[in-house]
């Protein structure tokens, strides 16, 4: 089983992302920063908020679903706002998380919930924006063996990635949501763009559940690509239960399909 987590950056590098998803053909794909078009929309639109203006795929969730026709697809909306065409015409858009699981695998449990805030229906608004988490338990129908897979997009703070009371509350929510699905006698993978420094107390709390931080275990010092010019170079993490800590793990620097590198675990 190949499990991949990636902050997809709203599909800004869609052409290489398209080719890469098709080539890697993951069994389970977890994407953060995913757009979904609730109405027919042009393929490309512009995102604007007080901090940035970005070109976005209008329906990255639909795009990836077309690339993975043999997968079950699940979207978790965090916010709904407006994306704009060049002529300033607006189109409604949802931002959140996308999850794709190979069709022949059994999805026996799934939870979408908020690790910060709640669904924001009336625009992108000020930071911090609501953040979501998806957790799924996937079973092999031929053996009944199961693995719980969770992913999330952590709070963004323009000040930095250090611990704050709000981020510690977020850590508590992450653990509560994960434990609502994960039976600790079975395998578990937790990944995503945590937006945290490596020494965050969140990882200490997660290690208390028996999860191993694969970024630390493999001495990974950079989870970003050349499209991200700032320091620090940490954002993305993958943690696994002890039975999976010797699994093959990779954080490839190329091809560049986002301003984040993908995290790839092969069981």
């Amino acid at each position: 089983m190949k499990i991949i987590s990636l902050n997809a950056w709203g599909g800004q590098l869609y052409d290489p992302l398209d080719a890469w998803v098709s080539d890697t053909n993951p069994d389970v794909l977890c994407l953060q920063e995913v757009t979904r078009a609730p109405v027919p929309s042009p393929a490309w639109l512009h995102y604007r908020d007080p901090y940035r203006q970005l070109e976005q795929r209008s329906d990255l969730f639909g795009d990836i679903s077309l690339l993975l026709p043999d997968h079950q697809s699940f979207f978790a909306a965090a916010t709904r706002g407006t994306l704009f065409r060049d002529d300033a015409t607006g189109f409604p858009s949802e931002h959140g998380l996308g999850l794709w699981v190979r069709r022949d695998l059994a999805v026996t449990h799934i939870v979408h919930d908020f690790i910060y805030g709640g669904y924001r229906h009336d625009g992108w608004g000020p930071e911090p924006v609501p953040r979501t988490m998806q957790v799924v338990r996937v079973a092999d129908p031929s053996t009944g063996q199961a693995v719980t897979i969770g992913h999330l997009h952590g709070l963004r703070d323009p000040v930095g990635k250090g611990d704050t009371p709000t981020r510690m509350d977020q850590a508590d929510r992450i653990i509560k949501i994960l434990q609502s699905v994960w039976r600790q006698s079975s395998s578990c993978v937790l990944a995503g763009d945590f937006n945290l420094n490596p020494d965050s107390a969140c990882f200490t709390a997660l290690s208390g559940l028996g999860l191993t931080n694969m970024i630390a275990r493999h001495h990974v010092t950079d989870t970003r690509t050349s499209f991200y010019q700032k320091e620090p170079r940490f954002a993305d993490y993958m943690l696994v239960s002890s039975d999976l800590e010797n699994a093959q793990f990779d954080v490839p620097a190329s091809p560049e399909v986002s301003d984040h590198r993908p995290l790839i675990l092969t069981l």
Side-chain angles (χ1 to χ4, degrees):
M1 177 182 285
K2 183 186 296 181
I3 301 167
I4 297 179
S5 174
L6 171 71
N7 180 319
W9 205 22
Q12 287 192 73
L13 300 180
Y14 184 69
D15 286 346
L17 178 63
D18 177 320
W20 176 79
V21 169
S22 299
D23 288 345
T24 55
N25 191 29
D27 298 290
V28 179
L29 177 63
C30 305
L31 295 185
Q32 303 91 49
E33 284 195 26
V34 176
T35 55
R36 188 186 77 88
V39 301
S41 304
W44 290 97
L45 292 169
H46 299 286
Y47 171 92
R48 302 169 187 163
D49 70 16
Y51 301 97
R52 53 204 174 276
Q53 296 189 30
L54 306 170
E55 190 176 28
Q56 303 271 273
R57 292 294 290 185
S58 66
D59 190 15
L60 185 59
F61 182 71
D63 293 334
I64 299 298
S65 297
L66 288 174
L67 294 176
L68 298 174
D70 294 326
H71 287 61
Q72 306 165 70
S73 55
F74 308 91
F75 181 77
T79 56
R80 179 178 286 213
T82 303
L83 299 181
F84 295 93
R85 203 165 57 189
D86 288 341
D87 64 3
T89 301
F91 294 82
S93 174
E94 287 185 333
H95 283 202
L97 304 178
L99 174 67
W100 292 263
V101 179
R102 206 178 70 220
R103 181 178 295 174
D104 62 316
L105 296 172
V107 175
T108 63
H109 300 71
I110 186 165
V111 171
H112 302 171
D113 207 344
F114 286 83
I115 55 176
Y116 175 78
Y119 178 62
R120 184 179 288 177
H121 70 281
D122 54 356
W124 315 125
E127 297 278 6
V129 298
R131 295 298 196 186
T132 52
M133 178 176 179
Q134 291 180 304
V135 185
V136 63
R137 194 187 309 163
V138 176
D140 180 344
S142 64
T143 65
Q145 186 173 2
V147 57
T148 297
I149 302 164
H151 78 119
L152 60 98
H153 191 184
L155 281 168
R156 177 182 181 275
D157 187 337
V159 174
K161 294 182 167 63
D163 285 337
T164 63
T166 303
R167 280 188 165 131
M168 294 315 300
D169 289 343
Q170 174 184 256
D172 291 341
R173 288 290 301 158
I174 291 169
I175 291 171
K176 181 178 180 180
I177 295 167
L178 182 65
Q179 290 183 317
S180 72
V181 177
W182 179 35
R183 303 296 176 259
Q184 289 180 253
S185 59
S186 62
S187 302
C188 181
V189 178
L190 176 63
D193 176 2
F194 283 69
N195 268 324
L196 293 174
N197 291 324
D199 60 355
S200 171
C202 177
F203 300 120
T204 302
L206 290 169
S207 70
L209 300 181
L211 297 177
T212 298
N213 184 338
M214 297 293 272
I215 294 296
R217 181 178 175 85
H218 289 263
H219 308 290
V220 177
T221 59
D222 194 341
T223 67
R224 307 304 294 253
T225 69
S226 66
F227 290 90
Y228 186 82
Q229 299 295 320
K230 297 182 289 185
E231 297 289 340
R233 307 292 297 175
F234 290 96
D236 307 273
Y237 298 87
M238 181 175 282
L239 298 94
V240 302
S241 51
S242 58
D243 59 311
L244 302 181
E245 62 184 20
N246 292 318
Q248 181 180 334
F249 179 67
D250 193 17
V251 187
S254 63
E256 293 186 317
V257 297
S258 169
D259 63 340
H260 295 250
R261 300 184 188 186
L263 312 178
I264 304 175
L265 187 75
T266 305
L267 308 184

